[in-house]
Amino acid sequence: MSERFQVDLAGMVDLLSKHLYSGPQVYLRELMQNAVDAVTARRGLDPQAPARIRIETDEAGGAAPRLRISDSGIGLTAADATELLATIGRSSKRDDEFGIGRMEFIGQFGIGLLAAFMVADRIVVRSRAAHDGAEPILWEGRADGTFRLSEGLAELAEIPVGTEVLLVARRDAEHWLSGETVLELAREYGSLLPLDIAVRVPVGTGGEQAWRRITEPELPWRAPHPGPVARERSLAAYCEEVFGFTPLAHIDLDLPLAGASGVAFVLPQAVSPGSGQHRVYMKRMLLGSRIDRVLPDWAFFVRAVIDTDALSPTASREQLHDDELLMAVREALGAQIKTWVTGALSTPTPLARSVLETHHLALRALAVTDAEMLELVAEVLPFETSDGPMTLAEAAEDGEIVYTSTTEAYRRVAAVARAQGLVVVNAGYVYDADLLERLGARAGWRVRELQSDDLVQVLGIPDLAREVAVADAIERARAELAEDDCDVILRSFAPADVPAILLRDAEGEHRRELDRERAARPDLWGGLLDALATDRKQRSRTLVLNDSCAVARDLVSAPPGEVFAAGLRSMYLSAVMLAGEGLRSRETSQFSESLGVLLTAALARDGGGTRMEES
């Protein structure tokens, strides 16, 4: 006589497949998990009991594919089957006989068998409990929500202690029970389990089959090796197998008090922040291959494999609860990675050079939050400077570090600073300005942002006679660029082929942006921005004309008029572009007009010269 499940089975399966699990493939993990827990329970009663799980498929004869998974576990009585298999959601791992929520069991939610209905129309369970005199049972459940339970059948007389689960595939899920898929899933989920697990697979072309063991007795990072070199090679091969890359190095991870251990592999290529995805195992059963938040955000330069028996999984057992314990484990694992980084980079070696070249961004991210790493990064990590790549410690040898907070500002002054012997650090890349600001707050370091006056002071000042000679031209130039809030001065500097450079400082640029916004929307922002504006006589920018450049000397020697104004405007806008800035639409029009004036004047001069020669 058939009886009804105590839930709407179709609705539950739909809920599992669409809202709890990532896909139907987890059915095999749930079945393997139940088998592992059954073996664990039996060995708790009898440590000498066999620890064996076997998985095989049957796709012959054109019938619906079948999968059979058997274990040497504790088995089920008729009472167990009635309570645990008919009442979906009940967990055998909470049975009074074994203790509430025993930690040595992987599963804690009692929905493993139900997950199999995502791929099966019919499930048949044959089991004999590990109790003296226990009668074997046969349980059969169907996707229509009915089940049948029998015990003491003659056909079950010879079955051994343990459980066998048979799945008959649904018409739309047959591929999930194919031999190749089952072998791949079994390896993915169970390769690190400490049991004898084998899958029966086809061999050759004659239809023969053989058992293939998918597990190893030891975790890869705990397996014995003849020496360090052999271990390093073995772990590199393991990394290639699970992640698909050959690591620069490996980092051992071990937190005995938190029940976590593993290994982190240093990526051979740079990756962007936030891309860290790690393989996490729960009691050696795969929890997920793309688990975030198990390592600190700055550790995105490694991929880790971690096994834990203390962290809490979510209901789907495909992610970790982001609770206080996970936070503590994350910090502790991060500390171990940081210790390795500190040791690896403290000595100049080929490995240190490779890590620095490849993962400087990750090291910068770590140094922003860690004082010890900040000091190390300052000693070993090269930064772009006007005097070539050098560490911050080298840049500070003259007493202080001067830096630009944007790459545009660095490009604007780099060539001139280099020629004048002024070392300027480019802190325009991600994390760099924060690093230098934090470094400047530490004892023993003097760090500040470059100001316009820093460069002006190292440029050559014209003698008094030259200043008097160009005074009128400089005043005309200042008046011409007044609307651009740009001052004009004359200095001598190298290289001589640069006619002018544009200097600015952060405070001046801030004032400049306020003025632009206020001019663009006086009705909306005027009152507020007027309150933020400050009275000042100093302009936000300075155009430095190079008295060592023939073009600049020609400009200041030119008479007042349209050509002088056009030459100055084109020189100013060229300096803006040299600084790495884009021109606004108005400035683009001005640049075109100025070039037109200069071209017309040049053509007129050349044409006049020709006519004079002809006459």
Side-chain angles (χ1 to χ4, degrees), residues 39-112:
V39 170
T40 302
R42 184 177 179 188
R43 299 197 83 180
L45 300 176
D46 177 10
Q48 303 303 316
R52 183 179 62 252
I53 298 173
R54 294 291 181 264
I55 304 170
E56 55 186 314
T57 59
D58 181 4
E59 304 174 74
R66 299 184 175 203
L67 177 140
R68 180 178 288 103
I69 177 169
S70 58
D71 64 68
S72 59
I74 197 168
L76 298 171
T77 65
D80 294 333
T82 300
E83 181 180 7
L84 302 175
L85 301 182
T87 307
I88 299 298
R90 175 70 171 170
S91 173
S92 61
K93 273 71 76 176
R94 303 186 67 85
D95 191 275
D96 292 339
E97 180 178 351
F98 305 120
I100 299 299
R102 283 264 300 271
M103 289 302 296
E104 60 264 39
F105 297 125
I106 301 173
Q108 296 292 323
F109 300 93
I111 53 178

Side-chain angles (χ1 to χ4, degrees), residues 64 119 121 168-175:
V119 298
D121 271 332
V168 180
R170 283 169 35 183
R171 186 176 297 276
D172 60 345
E174 294 177 345
H175 61 288

Side-chain angles (χ1 to χ4, degrees), residues 260-510:
S261 69
V263 60
F265 298 102
V266 181
L267 286 157
Q269 71 281 331
V271 294
S272 59
S275 60
Q277 295 176 334
H278 312 288
R279 293 180 69 88
V280 176
Y281 290 79
M282 181 68 63
K283 302 178 182 69
R284 300 180 62 161
M285 172 74 79
L286 182 68
L287 184 76
S289 59
R290 296 177 176 271
I291 304 294
D292 291 324
R293 307 290 294 160
V294 71
L295 294 181
D297 292 339
W298 53 258
F300 56 85
F301 64 100
V302 301
R303 293 290 178 269
V305 182
I306 297 170
D307 179 54
T308 175
D309 59 12
L311 296 177
S312 301
T314 59
S316 67
R317 292 192 289 282
E318 294 179 288
Q319 286 289 338
L320 291 169
H321 274 301
D322 201 354
D323 53 19
E324 292 184 0
L325 180 57
L326 178 57
M327 183 184 303
V329 168
R330 182 165 57 235
E331 292 178 358
L333 293 177
Q336 294 185 357
I337 295 175
K338 186 185 72 174
T339 298
W340 180 89
V341 171
T342 303
L345 300 186
S346 297
T347 304
T349 63
L351 173 60
R353 184 166 56 253
S354 295
V355 173
L356 288 173
E357 291 175 353
T358 307
H359 298 299
H360 59 88
L361 185 62
L363 298 175
R364 284 171 160 85
L366 174 55
V368 166
T369 60
D370 186 272
E372 183 180 353
M373 281 303 302
L374 178 61
E375 293 283 348
L376 178 63
V377 162
E379 293 289 339
V380 303
L381 194 64
F383 284 70
E384 182 181 11
T385 80
S386 56
D387 198 28
M390 61 175 61
T391 67
L392 296 179
E394 292 170 338
E397 288 179 354
D398 292 334
E400 70 174 352
I401 298 174
V402 178
Y403 71 94
T404 61
S405 59
T406 66
T407 298
E408 291 77 10
Y410 172 78
R411 291 172 180 166
R412 183 168 59 247
V413 303
V416 176
R418 183 183 307 113
Q420 315 311 312
L422 176 64
V423 177
V424 179
V425 176
N426 180 9
Y429 299 111
V430 63
Y431 301 122
D432 285 0
D434 291 336
L435 281 176
L436 284 158
E437 184 178 349
R438 284 177 54 83
L439 194 64
R442 295 184 62 79
W445 293 89
R446 293 170 55 203
V447 181
R448 64 181 179 83
E449 189 170 356
L450 177 75
Q451 301 296 324
S452 297
D453 290 344
D454 293 320
L455 200 54
V456 170
Q457 290 172 5
V458 300
L459 302 180
I461 301 176
D463 59 30
L464 182 58
R466 179 63 174 159
E467 285 192 347
V468 172
V470 301
D472 289 344
I474 296 301
E475 285 303 318
R476 292 198 306 271
R478 287 171 175 164
E480 181 68 30
L481 297 181
E483 291 185 0
D484 298 277
D485 196 27
C486 184
D487 196 9
V488 181
I489 62 175
L490 184 70
R491 293 290 187 271
S492 297
F493 55 85
D497 59 351
V498 177
I501 59 172
L502 187 67
L503 301 181
R504 64 184 183 182
D505 54 59
E507 182 180 353
E509 286 303 302
H510 177 63

